[in-house]
Amino acid sequence: MNAIEFFHHRPAESPAHPDCLVWGVRIDGTDLRALVGEATYPLWRAELAGEFDDEAEDERETAEQVRVQHGGLGVVEFEDHFRSAGDTVPLLGCSCGIWGCWPLMAKVTVSSTTVTWSSFRQPYREQWGELAMGPYEFPRDSYEAALAAPPVLDGDPLLP
């Protein structure tokens, strides 16, 4: 079984809106965005290869694309969707703040004792297929408790 933590934080892109919060997720202590970055790095690397003047610039641009590809989901818009049993739902949104621009989609399966996230995909890169991550299975009672009382962090935990 995996451990899950939900949290809220203020996105770096909107410091002028202190009431704006987004959902964040950690699985086994690792931010979901970092897990997605590991899974998508080779896909971005292949896609961006040769796009720039040299290998070093290809590498820098790939690393930057991986780093900024996802942000959290708006708290108001996604209050209950993490419980959407049997549905494919967004777990992360685009770093621009518009979740539908670049969502991380996954299937959420809920049983009486577990919640499972599987079949992770980027719908705007169908050629990538299912991402090499998960499935993640959480004890339902721990999942529901984490979802019911997410702490609010001062800022995005992935930023320096």
Side-chain angles (χ1 to χ4, degrees), residues 13 22 71-72 74 77 93-101:
E13 303 83 32
V22 295
E77 297 169 335
C94 183
S95 60
C96 76
I98 300 170
W99 75 265
C101 178

Side-chain angles (χ1 to χ4, degrees), residues 6-160:
F6 291 100
F7 56 89
H8 296 322
H9 67 88
R10 288 167 183 75
E13 303 83 32
S14 61
H17 302 286
D19 295 333
C20 177
L21 294 174
V22 295
W23 285 96
V25 180
R26 289 187 188 111
I27 297 174
D28 298 331
T30 302
D31 194 295
L32 180 57
R33 293 170 296 168
L35 296 170
V36 175
E38 290 172 15
T40 60
Y41 179 87
L43 302 168
W44 279 118
R45 188 75 172 109
E47 193 169 305
L48 295 173
E51 290 286 318
F52 302 97
D53 293 334
D54 59 38
E55 184 71 21
E57 191 173 1
D58 278 354
E59 179 59 33
R60 279 191 305 278
E61 291 299 323
T62 299
E64 180 64 9
Q65 186 61 43
V66 167
R67 187 184 73 75
V68 302
Q69 69 181 324
H70 288 296
L73 295 172
V75 169
V76 174
E77 297 169 335
F78 293 95
E79 200 64 42
D80 291 320
H81 98 285
F82 290 107
R83 293 183 180 97
S84 300
D87 291 338
T88 299
V89 299
L91 298 178
L92 293 173
C94 183
S95 60
C96 76
I98 300 170
W99 75 265
C101 178
W102 190 256
L104 170 68
M105 304 296 287
K107 183 174 180 172
V108 176
T109 305
V110 179
S111 78
S112 61
T113 58
T114 63
V115 177
T116 304
W117 290 359
S118 62
S119 302
F120 293 86
R121 294 185 176 279
Q122 172 35 258
Y124 298 115
R125 291 294 192 279
E126 289 185 25
Q127 69 273 22
W128 287 1
E130 189 171 319
L131 298 178
M133 56 186 292
Y136 302 109
E137 185 176 53
F138 314 105
R140 185 163 179 187
D141 57 346
S142 298
Y143 186 94
E144 293 290 344
L147 194 53
V152 177
L153 308 180
D154 289 334
D156 185 335
L158 286 186
L159 293 180

